[in-house]
Amino acid sequence: MLCPKCVTKLQADFQYCPNCSQRITHVLPLSYTSELIDGLDREPFHPAITQELRKYDWKHQDIFLRCYTQAKKGNFTAYLMAMPLGLLHRPYLGYWKSWFVYLLSLSVGIGLIWWIIDLIRLPKMVEKKNQDIALDLLEDLSKIARSG
């Protein structure tokens, strides 16, 4: 049995969750909650994001994970977009201003060096973008939770 608010494992006779003090009136289906916990554990969120997300009930966590799964950026796609001399990976990650500077640097000849550096940095760039997406979604989630 799992708490529907904080998804903590509980014994069958518990009436209140010892972790969040939520009164246990119903139990989530175990298959669904294990899927939700796996989703939270699978993503490399910053610990502060995970901690903040666990404050919400399972419905809000589910909304967050569904939206995040649709919006997150992938390393494979970023590398795929970087292959034609890096012309598309920066816009894919939302770095429009530096992309224009990059295009100008191609004409000067230093664009190739910048492209090689970006290939090395690309996983960290994707991770940072995904953290930004998670923070934006968490901010939206707090607005949804406050409104009802």
Side-chain angles (χ1 to χ4, degrees), residues 56-69:
Y56 295 100
D57 64 1
W58 67 272
K59 293 176 187 174
H60 290 102
Q61 290 177 4
D62 182 53
I63 292 169
F64 175 87
L65 281 175
R66 288 176 193 264
C67 292
Y68 178 78
T69 302

Side-chain angles (χ1 to χ4, degrees), residues 70-144:
Q70 290 178 351
K72 73 178 181 176
K73 306 297 181 185
N75 284 330
F76 178 76
T77 307
Y79 274 113
L80 198 61
M81 297 234 176
M83 284 305 121
L85 276 182
L87 296 179
L88 300 173
H89 69 286
R90 284 189 168 270
Y92 171 68
L93 296 174
Y95 299 117
W96 287 97
K97 292 177 185 176
S98 64
W99 182 61
F100 288 119
V101 174
Y102 172 73
L103 289 178
L104 291 173
S105 71
L106 279 175
S107 62
V108 182
I110 60 172
L112 182 63
I113 296 168
W114 194 354
W115 178 69
I116 292 170
I117 292 170
D118 271 0
L119 285 180
I120 295 167
R121 292 183 48 225
L122 204 52
K124 283 291 184 189
M125 292 168 69
V126 170
E127 183 181 329
K128 183 186 180 319
K129 180 62 177 179
N130 285 338
Q131 295 295 336
D132 291 344
I133 289 170
L135 286 172
D136 290 343
L137 287 173
L138 202 55
E139 184 178 320
D140 294 343
L141 186 66
S142 70
K143 292 176 186 174
I144 291 170

Side-chain angles (χ1 to χ4, degrees), residues 1-3 8-18 24 27:
M1 180 162 100
L2 297 170
C3 172
T8 301
K9 279 191 175 185
L10 303 173
Q11 294 179 2
D13 60 342
F14 279 13
Q15 294 181 359
Y16 291 91
C17 174
I24 307 302
V27 181

